[in-house]
Amino acid sequence: MAEPESLRQVDRNHVRFRGRKLVCFSGCDYFRLASDPRVHRALIRSLHDQGLNVAASRMTSGNHPQYRSLERKLSDYFASEDALVVPGGYLTNLVVAQAVAGQFSHALLDQRCHPALADAARFLECPILRFKHRDPQDFAVTVNRCGPGARILALTDGMFSHNGSTAPLREYLKALPRDGMLLVDDAHGAGVLGEKGRGTVEYTGVARRRVLQTVTLSKAFGCYGGAILCGAAARERMMRQSQAFIGSTPSPLPLVGGAIKALSILSGACPARRRLHAQAAWLRNHLRQAGFQVTDYPGPIVRLTPKSTEAGDRLERALLARGIFPPRLKYLGGAANVAFRFVLSSEHTKVQLRAALSAILAAADPAQFGEE
């Protein structure tokens, strides 16, 4: 495989690439909390007071009280009964699947779900069926294929990272049997969607009773680790039955301290979240006015997919000429085409946004680009 070239972040909105300092519209540090001095100070205090590493599983001698403090803060932030913190966002779904293995007769997967969900589904000890991406009608058809009396767990991203779209959770819950449940990987929606940043669950207005929401602390919250928003009984079952949880060392304590601070910064109707969505709306509106096919998805992501290699190369050159790192990628599990995924931040300046827009308009023919 071709390893990606080295890329170094040099400040909140710039990276160093091939010896040049370039504006960055890549990555998912939506509020730039990874470089926020307030988070850094909390991290340093935690390092000084608690040390770096507990060096043991939480189920042996590593259950430091700071982990429970973070879980309580997460429960308050997301308005969930309880929460369980795990070492990484990818691991959250695996922990859930190991805890509920054998309880469901069928697992349903969105065709474009994150690989973390597909990996987790293998532990459920039941047949796995795929349904069309974000398609409530095909979801209902797939539910019916499971037959009467089926116990179904449906797995989907909350906000899809390739374009900022969201899963129709309300329609899925209506189609599921009464004892069916949703496992929602909300790595990208958490902190970003909803008036209070509670993610896709808040944005779609569904109750938590039949939803397990998993999140990461490495994107909107700028730190590291994962969390499962759940009930107290489910939390206890995961701690008891998931070998991934039982056998892993939890997150370094300084990152836990930083995450607690990040939650406080993003709590409530914070100005940064409003600014983030305003940035995305500004770019989308101007691109649409220029003739580009851009949908108003809830997430702060704008995706442009060139219909030819030549069109993509022209846009890449134009971005580099204006001092912008080209956010060109082939996303795992996505379409075959290489796309430009512009991830907006609350901290991008108007000058930086205008530079990106100018580069796109100068080099790209709207007829040569689509969204998918």
Side-chain angles (χ1 to χ4, degrees), residues 113-363:
C113 72
H114 194 279
L117 288 171
D119 284 349
R122 299 188 182 104
F123 286 85
L124 291 171
E125 300 176 4
C126 65
I128 301 170
L129 289 75
R130 293 271 188 168
F131 60 91
K132 292 179 182 178
H133 178 52
R134 298 179 60 244
D135 188 330
Q137 289 185 331
D138 191 63
F139 181 87
V141 169
T142 308
V143 168
N144 289 334
R145 285 173 55 198
C146 297
R151 302 182 313 282
I152 298 172
L153 177 66
L155 300 86
T156 179
D157 300 46
M159 184 181 107
F160 290 89
S161 61
H162 64 277
N163 64 2
S165 61
T166 53
L169 302 185
R170 185 175 293 277
E171 289 83 352
Y172 290 171
L173 286 169
K174 287 180 181 177
L176 282 173
R178 287 194 302 175
D179 59 353
M181 292 193 69
L182 285 178
L183 173 55
V184 180
D185 185 327
D186 217 12
H188 290 269
V192 171
L193 297 183
E195 182 181 351
K196 297 182 178 179
R198 292 170 177 165
T200 313
V201 172
E202 180 188 14
Y203 177 79
T204 56
V206 299
R208 290 190 172 276
R209 186 177 62 84
R210 293 196 292 155
V211 176
L212 288 166
Q213 182 185 18
T214 61
V215 303
T216 183
L217 301 172
S218 65
K219 301 189 186 309
F221 302 104
C223 293
Y224 196 77
I228 304 153
L229 292 314
C230 57
R235 176 181 181 273
E236 194 276 334
R237 186 167 60 249
M238 291 174 208
M239 295 181 73
R240 185 180 68 248
Q241 295 183 199
S242 168
Q243 292 301 318
F245 178 83
I246 294 169
S248 61
T249 301
S251 299
L253 290 165
L255 291 172
V256 174
I260 289 172
K261 183 61 180 179
L263 286 166
S264 70
I265 293 171
L266 295 185
S267 63
C270 75
R273 190 156 41 248
R274 293 194 296 269
R275 190 164 63 247
L276 173 64
H277 291 289
Q279 306 274 51
W282 183 91
L283 184 57
R284 287 195 192 99
N285 289 338
H286 281 78
L287 288 172
R288 271 197 300 270
Q289 290 170 13
F292 285 88
Q293 180 184 344
V294 179
T295 303
D296 263 332
Y297 290 130
I301 294 169
V302 177
R303 177 187 174 107
L304 296 175
T305 302
K307 297 179 180 179
S308 68
T309 301
E310 293 76 13
D313 290 344
R314 282 196 301 273
L315 178 53
E316 182 170 315
R317 288 193 297 269
L319 290 166
L320 286 168
R322 286 163 173 78
I324 298 170
F325 176 76
R328 195 174 183 177
L329 53 82
K330 183 180 185 301
Y331 204 74
L332 290 173
N337 289 344
V338 175
F340 290 83
R341 184 186 68 165
F342 293 86
V343 182
L344 281 296
S345 161
S346 60
E347 306 310 302
H348 279 125
T349 68
K350 283 297 182 185
V351 170
Q352 292 164 349
L353 289 169
R354 291 191 185 101
L357 176 65
S358 174
I360 295 170
L361 298 184

Side-chain angles (χ1 to χ4, degrees), residues 20-148:
R20 296 180 61 193
K21 183 179 177 181
L22 302 175
V23 178
C24 185
F25 288 93
S26 298
C28 301
D29 185 9
Y30 295 108
F31 303 99
R32 300 298 191 254
L33 291 183
S35 54
D36 190 295
R38 296 168 291 180
V39 175
H40 287 188
R41 287 193 292 269
L43 186 150
I44 291 168
R45 282 196 302 271
S46 183
L47 174 64
H48 181 268
D49 295 342
Q50 314 293 349
L52 179 61
N53 181 14
V54 295
S57 164
R58 287 182 68 183
M59 299 307 287
T60 56
S61 59
N63 197 26
H64 193 283
Q66 190 85 330
Y67 297 116
R68 195 61 181 138
S69 296
L70 175 56
E71 288 168 347
R72 292 193 176 100
K73 294 291 184 182
L74 285 160
S75 297
D76 290 342
Y77 182 95
F78 287 98
S80 65
E81 180 183 344
D82 214 328
L84 181 66
V85 171
V86 300
Y90 202 101
L91 195 62
T92 55
N93 304 297
L94 180 59
V95 169
V96 172
Q98 289 181 342
V100 302
Q103 295 184 17
F104 295 95
S105 64
H106 296 81
L108 274 54
L109 280 174
D110 184 288
Q111 284 182 343
R112 295 191 68 175
C113 72
H114 194 279
L117 288 171
D119 284 349
R122 299 188 182 104
F123 286 85
L124 291 171
E125 300 176 4
C126 65
I128 301 170
L129 289 75
R130 293 271 188 168
F131 60 91
K132 292 179 182 178
H133 178 52
R134 298 179 60 244
D135 188 330
Q137 289 185 331
D138 191 63
F139 181 87
V141 169
T142 308
V143 168
N144 289 334
R145 285 173 55 198
C146 297

